[in-house]
Amino acid sequence: MNTDTRLELRQREIIEEFEMFSDWMEKYEHIIEIGKELDPISEEHKVDDNLIKGCQSRVWLHAELNSEGIVIFTADSDAIITKGLVALMIRVLSDAEPLEIAKTELHFLEAIGLNSHLSPTRSNGLLSMVKQMKMYGIAFSAR
Amino acid sequence: MNTDTRLELRQREIIEEFEMFSDWMEKYEHIIEIGKELDPISEEHKVDDNLIKGCQSRVWLHAELNSEGIVIFTADSDAIITKGLVALMIRVLSDAEPLEIAKTELHFLEAIGLNSHLSPTRSNGLLSMVKQMKMYGIAFSAR
Amino acid sequence: MTQSGSYDVNAIRREFPILKKSINGYPLVYLDSAASAQKPLSVIEAQREYEAHFHSNIHRGVHTLATQATEAFESVRTKIADHINAAQREEIIFTSGTTDGINLVAGTWGRANLNEEDTIVLSRLEHHSNIVPWQILATEKRFKIEVIELNEDGSLDESSLNEKLALNPKMVAISHVSNTLGTVNDVKRITALAHSVGATVIVDGSQAVPHKTIDVTDIDCDFYVASGHKMYGPSGIGFLYGKHSLLEQMPPWRGGGEMIASVSFEEPTTFNIPPYKFEAGTPHLSGVVGLGAAIDWLNSVGLEKIAAHEKSLIEYASGELMKIDGMKLIGTAPAKASVISFLVEGIHPSDIGTLLDGLGIAVRTGHHCTEPIMTKLGIPGTVRASFAAYSTKAEVDALVAGVNRAVKLLR
Amino acid sequence: MTQSGSYDVNAIRREFPILKKSINGYPLVYLDSAASAQKPLSVIEAQREYEAHFHSNIHRGVHTLATQATEAFESVRTKIADHINAAQREEIIFTSGTTDGINLVAGTWGRANLNEEDTIVLSRLEHHSNIVPWQILATEKRFKIEVIELNEDGSLDESSLNEKLALNPKMVAISHVSNTLGTVNDVKRITALAHSVGATVIVDGSQAVPHKTIDVTDIDCDFYVASGHKMYGPSGIGFLYGKHSLLEQMPPWRGGGEMIASVSFEEPTTFNIPPYKFEAGTPHLSGVVGLGAAIDWLNSVGLEKIAAHEKSLIEYASGELMKIDGMKLIGTAPAKASVISFLVEGIHPSDIGTLLDGLGIAVRTGHHCTEPIMTKLGIPGTVRASFAAYSTKAEVDALVAGVNRAVKLLR
Ligand SMILES: Cc1ncc(COP(=O)(O)O)c(C=O)c1O
Ligand SMILES: Cc1ncc(COP(=O)(O)O)c(C=O)c1O
């Protein structure tokens, strides 16, 4: 695990933020808040091409490489808890260089006890979304 | 259960005969002896038409109605224990009137502790043979 | 709601070890029995006992263990036949579950009888297991699949039913009870109507067997399928009932040991008689034993008592849930078994499911393998709470409180 | 025969509760493990533990029990993949057993690929489960089935093998180990030869898995099938290994829950990716957990040690049996796993089986679901004693004494 990258620092910040919650419901309450505050994806990007289909909730993900070589992710979900988790992913992986994104190991969900949402057996599409974000990182870094 | 028919008496005789054996091997030894002593079926009747196919051992059964209206069974098997059991069946059911055969309940195998050989799950064809003997009884009594 | 004096749900709960479990610090509230029921100790112990002291491969064996195992196995066939009032024990085929049973019928009866000019009829509320086997076969055999539509409340639309039967379908495949909507279909009447137009009828009974006394002779359906794990029995085992005259005509499905009469490379291989003809390979022995124990358990408690208990729970739960603002029950047919599907306005079902799980309450969310219902209703899924013999009023209260709490957080 | 110092068969026996049993007043001598192996306590307890404390239906559930059950289930998939050295966990499909696995391959790969002008090759020693599925499909698809014949000793006849491969078959279906003769086929070499003529290869490994370390990557076969109940695991569960590239091309088999991507009446139904595409319906959950425990058990004892133990028993038993007048071993190939089939001149095998049972000794008699071998040899069947990790030299002695006693009575 990289200890000095800025994406690592972002993850640690989230972990600390969640340390103040003692039970599940409080954690979820916070995630829901974060979900509600997520910058909306623009309507033109909330299209089927950007859809990551889980069995239950749907996630839309858009990625852009700006002129400074920085990747900006925007996303949405029809389920608010999924959306909150998506927002956390964006806090870590958006506004970063392609190579950073490709290389970062995401461990914060495990640390805050929400790892099960990332398991391949979950049907929320979150794991597919993380894979997709990494793919964007790899694709953009090849440019 | 009929208590007074002669086929019932034949069954009781067999039961008594087996009472002197205390263990399995002695019982089987006796059955093997009985099998060896079974009157042979004539070659012309040891044909596929008279074959009752179990999964493992085969049984040939022939039935004849003699001029006095008495059914005579002859039989054979390629396995000697099966043949011994067949011989016991013949001791009870052969040389009898068709209706007697059709009506008799065979209980002696249970009494001598060999009932499992008659279970539908046994693969020696013995149950099919008993059914066949009864069928002959019914068929002949309809004449 | 009052609990019938003779129904001691606490005593019943003590027979289910898993119900003592805690989830996320809360006592488990298991409201997912329609997905799979929990198993009483008698079922668990029967399997253990079999494996520890009686196991052997069955049939064709001359040794004592094999004979005893075979007798145990075959006695469960008789038990099932009695339990659903089949005419003969030979009408019961062991399968690995409902899905396997429907595929067996599609792969044998269906493959032999359905052709390009034919039509079969399903209903909108079928589980994928009663849709996809027919669709797969239809891509090969090119018959048409027609769909009986639903009323608003989730009951079958009578005019749609009549319309589809007027097409003279060769087969009607219908659920006894809907796993998503709870609708109980009058399969006896539907069978009579289907027979009057010459259709063969298969009833998917997987959601009916834990809640109702089944009488296949009375229903008069041609096939009836169910799963052990939905009726307090083991997973990996189920049964198919088929009328003997049909079973006799059907070609074999899976080939292997036990389903044959004689195998040869030189002459034609010949097949065993039903039901053995349709049971290829070593069966799920401990599962069969466990299924027998599950039927004994159901009968010892009494299906009528279980049904009455569940009915009072579902009425209570429906009433309490409806007090929640924005609550919409999905499936409100007059005849309804113990499943409640719902949605809360503006809230995604998976969010409710996740929060309820945080409170130790296990419900199922999503399409419940009935996507065609969701498509028709234009919803992403539902939250489904399902009740069983061991469910309690206190659990309903926990559910309602949990939904209330979830809704407050999510709005 | 000396027992290897590190192999404590008595300690192993203590793990199998059934071995303490008496039959007809004699201690059980279980020599029928090739039909079905007994289960160690760890396997029995793993299933019990699952059913009593962890059961839930898997996949698509958002609640904790469902997630945990799914993880337990999927972790066994990984365990099997590792155990047989598959390239990916997605190459393992859960089936209800070997028979089911072969039928799956016949019903998907076979149905899609075999046509009138094609030939497939089996061997004379195949179990009915690796014959009948192909025969049933052949009556529909009209391809030819060619048979590799055997040498006197029960090994494959090399010239017959070459002759059949020269026909450019599309498929070669072959057992790894014969359940009747014990012959171990060199499936790696046969696979290479079959591939060189463009054939797809399926290996029936049901008799190999309990005795050998399997490496499907080394063998390079396209499909490999086995049953849990032959490898000290539960019945009703097994696995099919298939190369991922083949699995991806294969059409679905059984339709139902979980094997779909999306189901619709209005648009084409779409399917899930392998392995899920081939796993319709609620799987045998406790069976999967038990199979995982069986693999752990095999690895904890060590397959090499088990094989060495069995080899010494089989050598000892062969030698002792041959001292009996009129004894004929059926199957004496140089490479042989732990099965001994025999006949005694002038005596029907079922008579020996019945008398041995009287002495508490469980052997199997008959054709062992390999009638084509019996037809070729012109015999009604054999007596088969099969050995496992828990078999002992004392049991061999009991067998030999029992056969001697039986022969004396029967002559
Ligand atoms: C070589 C062989 N193949 C296939 C089978 C069939 O296995 P199952 O009955 O577990 O499907 C067996 C077991 O009887 C066997 O020994
Ligand atoms: C109505 C209905 N049909 C079929 C099935 C499939 O049953 P199984 O998964 O046990 O094969 C289910 C269970 O999910 C069901 O509820």
Side-chain angles (χ1 to χ4, degrees), chain C residues 281-282, chain D residues 97-99 127 129 175 177 179 204 206-207 227 229-230:
Chain C
T282 304
Chain D
T98 300
T99 303
H127 188 278
S129 291
S175 285
V177 172
N179 65 309
D204 171 355
S206 48
Q207 293 293 342
S227 297
H229 73 98
K230 307 251 188 209

Side-chain angles (χ1 to χ4, degrees), chain B residues 45-54 57-61:
Chain B
H45 296 139
K46 200 172 169 181
V47 291
D48 279 4
D49 268 0
N50 286 330
L51 188 61
I52 293 162
K53 209 172 173 308
S57 51
R58 293 178 298 171
V59 173
W60 292 265
L61 174 71

Side-chain angles (χ1 to χ4, degrees), chain A residues 42-55:
Chain A
S42 67
E43 277 305 312
E44 56 174 326
H45 296 139
K46 201 172 167 180
V47 290
D48 278 5
D49 269 359
N50 285 332
L51 187 63
I52 293 161
K53 211 175 171 307
C55 296

Side-chain angles (χ1 to χ4, degrees), chain C residues 21 32 36 45 47-48 51 53 55 57 63-64 100 103 124 135 254-255 263 266 269 357 371, chain D residues 21 32 35-36 45 47-48 51 53 55 57 63-64 100 103 124 135 254-255 263 266 269 357 371:
Chain C
K21 195 160 174 138
D32 196 21
S36 198
E45 286 305 329
Q47 294 174 81
R48 188 198 137 78
E51 291 209 327
H53 301 298
H55 174 68
N57 211 331
H63 62 77
T64 304
D100 193 38
N103 279 277
R124 169 69 59 185
Q135 290 183 328
R254 284 183 289 219
V263 173
E266 291 77 23
T269 284
D357 182 53
E371 273 192 84
Chain D
K21 194 159 176 141
D32 196 22
S36 198
E45 286 305 328
Q47 294 174 82
R48 187 197 139 78
E51 290 209 329
H53 302 298
H55 174 67
N57 210 329
H63 63 76
T64 304
D100 193 38
N103 278 277
R124 168 69 61 183
Q135 289 183 328
R254 285 185 288 220
V263 172
E266 292 78 23
T269 283
D357 181 53
E371 273 192 84

Side-chain angles (χ1 to χ4, degrees), chain C residues 34-36 95-103 125-130 175-180 204-208 225-230 235-238 368-370 384, chain D residues 57 255-257 280-283:
Chain C
S36 198
T95 65
S96 61
T98 301
T99 303
D100 193 38
I102 297 171
N103 279 277
L125 54 66
E126 297 313 309
H127 188 278
H128 293 166
S129 291
N130 202 18
S175 286
H176 200 162
V177 173
S178 158
N179 65 309
T180 299
D204 171 357
S206 48
Q207 293 293 341
V225 287
S227 297
H229 72 98
K230 307 253 188 207
S235 57
I237 189 72
H368 318 299
C369 293
T370 56
R384 183 186 72 182
Chain D
N57 210 329
T282 304

Side-chain angles (χ1 to χ4, degrees), chain D residues 149-166:
Chain D
E149 295 295 346
L150 305 179
N151 297 316
E152 277 278 293
D153 65 0
S155 57
L156 293 187
D157 178 334
E158 189 69 17
S159 64
S160 178
L161 169 66
N162 289 325
E163 202 178 286
K164 300 310 176 188
L165 290 180

Side-chain angles (χ1 to χ4, degrees), chain C residues 174-176 185-192 201 203 219 221 224:
Chain C
I174 185 90
S175 286
H176 200 162
N185 289 317
D186 185 349
V187 288
K188 181 177 177 177
R189 200 175 64 87
I190 296 169
T191 298
V201 177
V203 176
I219 297 170
C221 56
Y224 196 97

Side-chain angles (χ1 to χ4, degrees), chain C residues 233-362:
Chain C
S235 57
I237 189 72
F239 65 85
L240 161 65
Y241 157 83
K243 281 189 182 159
H244 204 258
S245 54
L246 283 170
L247 295 183
E248 277 185 319
Q249 294 159 26
M250 276 154 49
W253 190 40
R254 284 183 289 219
E258 202 52 39
M259 54 73 73
I260 54 93
S262 176
V263 173
S264 170
F265 286 129
E266 291 77 23
E267 289 167 46
T269 284
T270 52
F271 301 109
N272 207 331
I273 53 172
Y276 313 106
K277 180 177 180 176
F278 302 104
E279 294 178 354
T282 304
H284 179 7
L285 301 160
S286 62
V288 167
V289 169
L291 179 54
I295 290 176
D296 288 342
W297 186 83
L298 275 171
N299 289 332
S300 76
V301 180
L303 265 163
E304 277 67 27
K305 282 191 194 164
I306 293 173
H309 172 70
E310 290 170 347
K311 186 165 187 285
S312 70
L313 285 178
I314 211 132
E315 280 167 8
Y316 177 66
S318 301
E320 292 300 301
L321 283 170
M322 280 310 291
K323 295 179 186 161
I324 296 170
D325 188 39
M327 172 64 62
K328 188 167 162 37
L329 298 188
I330 312 292
T332 52
K336 215 183 135 171
S338 66
V339 155
I340 300 186
S341 264
F342 63 87
L343 279 176
V344 182
E345 214 189 307
I347 297 179
H348 195 283
S350 88
D351 286 330
I352 295 180
T354 301
L355 292 180
L356 288 178
D357 182 53
L359 296 165
I361 303 165

